[in-house]
Amino acid sequence: DALREEMAMQDERDGVRDEEYNELKEDFERTLDQKLSMQTSLQESIEEMMELKKEREMAAARIKELELTLEEKEIDLERAARDNAEKTERICTLEGELEEKMKEVEEVTAQLKLSENSVEVMKMELERSTSEMDDLRGKVARMDNSRHDSLGGSRHNPRPNSFMGWKRGTQGPAGGGDAPPEEK
């Protein structure tokens, strides 16, 4: 009867371990999916940032063109008579375009800054997710070791575990290793 009772208790412990193992495995898979999603978002943000940078460079080049054009027109106005209304009107138009382009550059710069901040946040989240995944890997490895031990493994006959090549006896429940209950 004592043997049957011990076997029933062992079966119950094995069931609990299997449930914990499955939960950890699901957590690991969920974390892996989150990591892949964050990597995709990060890549999209980087591409968007590169596009914004390209637009900013084009806007800056256009501003330089407008500034050069404005300087040329100002020189022409200095040579022309004061009553040259057409050239004065053209300068006003160019100044308006220049202001609009400056506003566009400010907006693109602000968007670029927001995008850079977003990339930094995503990098931190990715690092956190990677750390959580590493923790889950360790938990799964310990569960594998525990599971292997509960299936009749011996401390005197270690063999490589199927998960990450760890050997039995190096990881186990708190209390130290995989020693049978009478040795702990």
Side-chain angles (χ1 to χ4, degrees):
D1 281 339
L3 181 59
R4 282 188 198 146
E5 188 176 318
E6 179 64 30
M7 288 178 67
M9 289 173 61
Q10 184 64 36
D11 287 343
E12 186 178 324
R13 286 190 297 263
D14 288 347
V16 169
R17 283 188 186 132
D18 284 344
E19 285 180 30
E20 290 173 350
Y21 174 79
N22 288 334
E23 287 175 10
L24 285 172
K25 198 167 188 178
E26 287 173 9
D27 286 347
F28 173 76
E29 289 170 0
R30 219 176 3 260
T31 302
L32 186 59
D33 288 344
Q34 289 174 350
K35 178 183 178 185
L36 292 174
S37 174
M38 282 191 262
Q39 285 175 332
T40 301
S41 295
L42 177 62
Q43 183 62 35
E44 289 171 358
S45 293
I46 289 171
E47 289 171 4
E48 182 181 330
M49 184 177 70
M50 295 305 289
E51 188 64 33
L52 289 172
K53 184 177 179 183
K54 184 179 176 182
E55 290 176 12
R56 178 182 172 195
E57 288 170 355
M58 288 172 53
R62 180 69 179 136
I63 287 172
K64 285 184 181 179
E65 289 176 21
L66 290 171
E67 286 172 345
L68 289 174
T69 303
L70 182 61
E71 288 175 12
E72 290 172 3
K73 294 300 174 183
E74 287 174 347
I75 291 170
D76 289 343
L77 281 175
E78 288 173 6
R79 292 182 191 152
R82 285 187 169 186
D83 59 348
N84 194 339
E86 290 178 22
K87 290 186 179 182
T88 303
E89 187 176 323
R90 178 69 179 145
I91 287 175
C92 290
T93 301
L94 288 173
E95 287 175 343
E97 288 178 12
L98 181 61
E99 286 179 12
E100 287 177 19
K101 293 300 177 183
M102 292 293 266
K103 288 178 184 176
E104 288 177 17
V105 167
E106 290 173 7
E107 289 175 9
V108 168
T109 302
Q111 289 175 351
L112 180 60
K113 183 65 179 169
L114 287 174
S115 180
E116 287 171 350
N117 291 342
S118 175
V119 166
E120 287 301 316
V121 167
M122 285 184 201
K123 281 182 182 178
M124 290 189 298
E125 288 177 349
L126 183 59
E127 288 173 8
R128 182 187 53 76
S129 177
T130 301
S131 175
E132 288 176 3
M133 191 168 57
D134 288 343
D135 291 344
L136 285 174
R137 279 188 182 140
K139 288 179 182 177
V140 168
R142 288 191 294 279
M143 290 298 293
D144 277 353
N145 285 338
S146 249
R147 205 164 168 219
H148 175 72
D149 289 344
S150 71
L151 295 176
S154 163
R155 184 164 227 222
H156 302 292
N157 187 15
R159 68 175 209 239
N161 191 329
S162 63
F163 188 81
M164 297 177 75
W166 290 359
K167 292 189 185 252
R168 282 187 43 253
T170 60
Q171 298 289 325
D178 298 324
E182 63 272 9
E183 291 182 21
K184 286 187 179 174

